[in-house]
Amino acid sequence: MRILLTGAKGQLGQELQPVLAPLGEVIAADRTVVDLANTAVLYDQVAELEPDVIVNAAAYTAVDKAENEGALAQAVNGEAPGILGQVARDRQGFLFHVSTDYVFNGSQGRPYRETDPTDPLGEYGRSKLAGEQAIAQTAPNHSAIIRTAWVYGTGGTGNFVKTMLRLGGDRPELRVVADQIGSPTWTGDLAAAIAQLIPQRSEDLAGTYHYTNSGAASWYDFAIAIFEEAKALGVDLAIETVVPITTADYPTPAQRPSYSVLAGKKIAAKLGHPAPHWRQGLRKMLTEYVPKLSSQ
């Protein structure tokens, strides 16, 4: 089995490479090999690699910049996934595509199910929804869309955990938003779930799924947990106080959903178990990351 992994150098892509390796030949592609922004040649680029499975971990993820770079976000997140779906369909293969909680507006008071109405608030969410719709049109029987949220890992250039550790190492006080609620999700758990689904690929698996670590937290709660877990591992931090603030206190170009907890019952049935709690994922990530942090 030939598995094409896009976004191989990103935080999820780096986590996926070792767990995909036992399943077959992995083509770990960054944008120099498969450029999702160049949709005119994307089909040929991907088809020439002759993949049986495509795992699309590549995306335009600059949520705020997307407000001014809508065309680029739409190309990478909106158009390219449909083309990947075409290749999967034409080769009788299968596409696993990673999407986002930002397809919802965050106004719902309970965890979002896969069947709940979408209503993205910004360009990033609109581009990701367009990608889902493109896949549904080109490869409805040859694809699984996996929505996730609040992703972090040891790889990649930056994420909330790394930012908190960096800032908390220098500052005694931080102000963190407390009125946005979601489920922090470790790339290690997400990658393992995707790898477990690949052998199940079939028309019966095709569809949309939600996968995050279980439980819910605000960014404030998440920050507190990061510092507690890091200190327990011996990280020397300057942070003494974390002050909860509102979204209005920290305005950003793009509007975020205030509540984006995703219900994971559907994918748990396929995996045979629920996702681990977010705090457990955080502890595992920090156990891996702290030794690297101390050597920097």
Side-chain angles (χ1 to χ4, degrees):
M1 176 170 58
R2 289 170 63 86
I3 304 171
L4 171 61
L5 170 63
T6 66
K9 291 185 177 179
Q11 62 177 357
L12 177 58
Q14 290 181 43
E15 203 80 56
L16 278 162
Q17 289 185 53
V19 296
L20 295 181
L23 302 177
E25 177 189 358
V26 179
I27 305 165
D30 62 13
R31 69 182 63 179
T32 65
V33 179
V34 175
D35 185 2
L36 269 64
N38 193 351
T39 54
V41 300
L42 181 59
Y43 184 97
D44 291 337
Q45 277 186 333
V46 174
E48 286 173 2
L49 298 171
E50 300 183 337
D52 302 303
V53 171
I54 302 169
V55 180
N56 184 28
Y60 179 103
T61 58
V63 175
D64 289 321
K65 288 178 67 177
E67 295 301 302
N68 294 317
E69 295 182 349
L72 178 58
Q74 280 292 334
V76 175
N77 294 343
E79 298 172 38
I83 297 170
L84 298 178
Q86 290 176 17
V87 178
R89 178 198 64 202
D90 293 348
R91 289 189 50 77
Q92 292 299 299
F94 208 88
L95 167 65
F96 291 87
H97 172 73
V98 180
S99 193
T100 176
D101 58 316
Y102 277 65
V103 300
F104 299 112
N105 65 19
S107 64
Q108 183 167 278
R110 60 164 174 78
Y112 281 93
R113 304 186 184 102
E114 291 82 355
T115 52
D116 284 327
T118 54
D119 181 26
L121 299 174
E123 287 297 323
Y124 168 71
R126 284 190 283 271
S127 71
K128 293 295 286 185
L129 179 58
E132 294 186 9
Q133 293 168 337
I135 292 169
Q137 291 175 353
T138 60
N141 299 321
H142 295 268
S143 63
I145 295 165
I146 302 170
R147 294 176 181 146
T148 189
W150 293 30
V151 176
Y152 65 92
T154 59
T157 56
N159 55 53
F160 186 77
V161 176
K162 291 182 179 181
T163 299
M164 288 297 102
L165 291 176
R166 176 174 54 82
L167 295 177
D170 298 329
R171 303 180 188 179
E173 181 177 296
L174 288 173
R175 293 157 56 84
V176 181
V177 171
D179 59 354
Q180 294 176 22
I181 308 297
S183 300
T185 302
W186 177 44
T187 52
D189 288 328
L190 176 58
I194 293 171
Q196 189 177 340
L197 291 176
I198 287 176
Q200 302 182 43
R201 65 194 185 280
S202 66
E203 190 171 336
D204 289 339
L205 182 67
T208 300
Y209 297 87
H210 289 170
Y211 184 91
T212 63
N213 281 122
S214 62
S218 68
W219 291 114
Y220 169 80
D221 298 328
F222 193 18
I224 293 290
I226 291 165
F227 296 136
E228 288 178 351
E229 296 289 346
K231 286 178 180 178
L233 291 169
V235 178
D236 186 18
L237 295 170
I239 191 72
E240 296 175 359
T241 306
V242 182
V243 180
I245 63 172
T246 67
T247 299
D249 293 326
Y250 187 73
T252 56
Q255 187 178 355
R256 268 78 171 165
S258 60
Y259 179 90
S260 59
V261 178
L262 303 179
K265 186 176 180 180
K266 180 180 176 182
I267 201 167
K270 296 293 184 182
L271 296 172
H273 57 81
H277 191 270
W278 67 265
R279 185 112 186 195
Q280 181 180 344
L282 173 63
R283 190 170 298 133
K284 288 183 178 180
M285 179 272 189
L286 287 174
T287 300
E288 290 183 10
Y289 184 61
V290 164
K292 299 178 184 178
L293 184 67
S294 59
S295 65
Q296 291 176 357

